[in-house]
Amino acid sequence: MQVIYNSTPMPEEDVRLSLSNRAFQYNDGFFETIMMEGGRLRFWLDHQERMREAELALHLELPDCFWDGTLEQQLLELTQQNEVSLGRLKLQVWRAGSGLYTPQTNQVEWLATVQQAAPAPEEPIHIGVCQSVRSIHSALSHVKGPQAPLYVLAGIEKQQKQQDDMLLLSLQGYVSELISSNIYWVKENVLYTPTLDTGCVNGVSRRNILRYCLEQHMEVRELQCAVGQLAEAEAVFASNVAGLRAIASIDAVPLPTQHPLISQIRKALYL
């Protein structure tokens, strides 16, 4: 498998990382998961926007190649080199240098990898309410990576409870997000989703779904919501960059899964 390490294409077995690597030592960085389909990077401008936000939040200095078209071209070439037709790219970025908690530099190192992906399934999923951890709102909670251990623990609980996914609540007990997806619900032609202060990631698909609904002159509300209120919705669904899934039940409480908005969003953004 070919990868890109600090702008240099190479076989993955040639990548060598120091024991002082700050991603390993302190989780000092972030990542982006990007879908490639039809020779293009899906939602690329929104990924760039979120990388800018991560750069500011973590006090990093990302290289010019992230913004001038070079990185975009390199990622597309990486999918070609690995003969990937539908690709799931992962871009990992971390602060360079060593040091203790106080860094020596704000420059970064980065690694891009790609895997062949399957088309996102459309079957509804069954989820449980996570009891082991809760989403934590912070200056970093809107980007991907800094709070990853929370999602690892939620993933373990998902396995134990044999669910398709887990619903994380905020520290105040409000609906926040799924393990790797944002959550939405529809009622009386209004799209609802949790506010970012519940601790949810500011997902790239979230941005696109809210934008699409507003363009369709549909009312959008971001709010804090108790789990029980979801049972009153006409449909509840989750999304990430890979696709969109209706939610069929929460802790075995059934939910309706058919709504025209779900198919409209899927067709407009993912097909």
Side-chain angles (χ1 to χ4, degrees):
M1 180 71 71
Q2 290 290 115
V3 304
I4 305 172
Y5 179 45
N6 294 334
S7 295
T8 302
M10 63 178 65
E12 62 178 325
E13 57 268 21
D14 289 353
V15 176
R16 296 289 183 270
L17 301 179
S18 168
L19 288 177
S20 63
N21 177 283
R22 293 187 64 86
F24 171 68
Q25 293 286 350
Y26 301 112
N27 194 27
D28 187 5
F30 67 93
F31 69 84
E32 286 287 315
T33 303
I34 306 154
M35 299 300 296
M36 187 287 298
E37 184 175 21
R40 67 181 181 90
L41 302 180
R42 185 187 290 168
F43 308 143
W44 175 242
L45 294 179
D46 291 289
H47 283 291
Q48 285 186 306
E49 180 181 30
R50 189 164 63 179
M51 287 191 288
R52 283 289 195 194
E53 293 165 0
E55 178 184 39
L56 292 172
L58 289 161
H59 299 277
L60 300 175
E61 296 175 10
L62 300 185
D64 290 341
C65 68
F66 276 47
W67 321 118
D68 63 10
T70 304
L71 176 60
E72 180 182 11
Q73 186 59 38
Q74 282 194 305
L75 294 178
L76 290 171
E77 291 173 356
L78 181 64
T79 64
Q80 296 171 358
Q81 293 164 358
N82 288 288
E83 300 181 348
V84 168
S85 55
L86 176 61
R88 188 182 185 91
L89 290 146
K90 187 168 186 179
L91 178 63
Q92 295 167 273
V93 182
W94 62 91
R95 197 184 314 270
S98 54
L100 300 177
Y101 282 119
T102 303
Q104 300 171 331
T105 179
N106 291 326
Q107 299 292 314
V108 302
E109 296 183 356
W110 59 276
L111 175 70
T113 59
V114 64
Q115 293 180 330
Q116 180 69 37
E122 296 184 4
E123 309 86 66
I125 57 175
H126 299 269
I127 69 174
V129 178
C130 187
Q131 301 299 321
S132 57
V133 291
R134 293 201 171 192
S135 294
I136 301 173
H137 178 247
S138 73
L140 304 177
S141 55
H142 61 290
V143 300
K144 294 181 70 69
Q147 297 190 155
L150 293 176
Y151 306 114
V152 172
L153 293 175
I156 292 171
E157 185 175 340
K158 179 190 75 171
Q159 289 178 323
Q160 294 171 340
K161 294 184 175 178
Q162 298 182 328
Q163 297 280 2
D164 296 319
D165 212 322
M166 300 301 293
L167 173 62
L168 279 75
L169 306 181
S170 69
L171 290 176
Q172 294 75 28
Y174 296 116
V175 171
S176 179
E177 61 186 341
L178 274 60
I179 294 173
S180 58
S181 303
N182 288 110
I183 187 170
Y184 320 80
W185 56 101
V186 187
K187 185 177 180 182
E188 297 177 351
N189 202 38
V190 178
L191 178 76
Y192 297 89
T193 197
T195 54
L196 295 179
D197 61 13
T198 61
C200 65
V201 169
N202 191 1
V204 163
S205 66
R206 180 184 189 273
R207 301 169 196 234
N208 279 270
I209 288 173
L210 299 191
R211 185 184 303 138
Y212 171 78
C213 289
L214 290 172
E215 289 172 351
Q216 301 305 307
H217 306 291
M218 182 176 185
E219 186 176 354
V220 173
R221 296 182 189 174
E222 300 175 57
L223 77 171
Q224 296 180 337
C225 169
V227 177
Q229 293 177 255
L230 299 183
E232 303 172 5
E234 296 164 15
V236 184
F237 62 96
S239 79
N240 57 29
V241 292
L244 182 153
R245 307 284 295 274
I247 296 175
S249 69
I250 301 177
D251 277 349
V253 176
L255 299 170
T257 59
Q258 301 297 318
H259 194 282
L261 182 63
I262 293 177
S263 56
Q264 289 170 18
I265 293 173
R266 186 177 282 131
K267 183 178 181 180
L269 300 181
Y270 295 101
L271 299 180

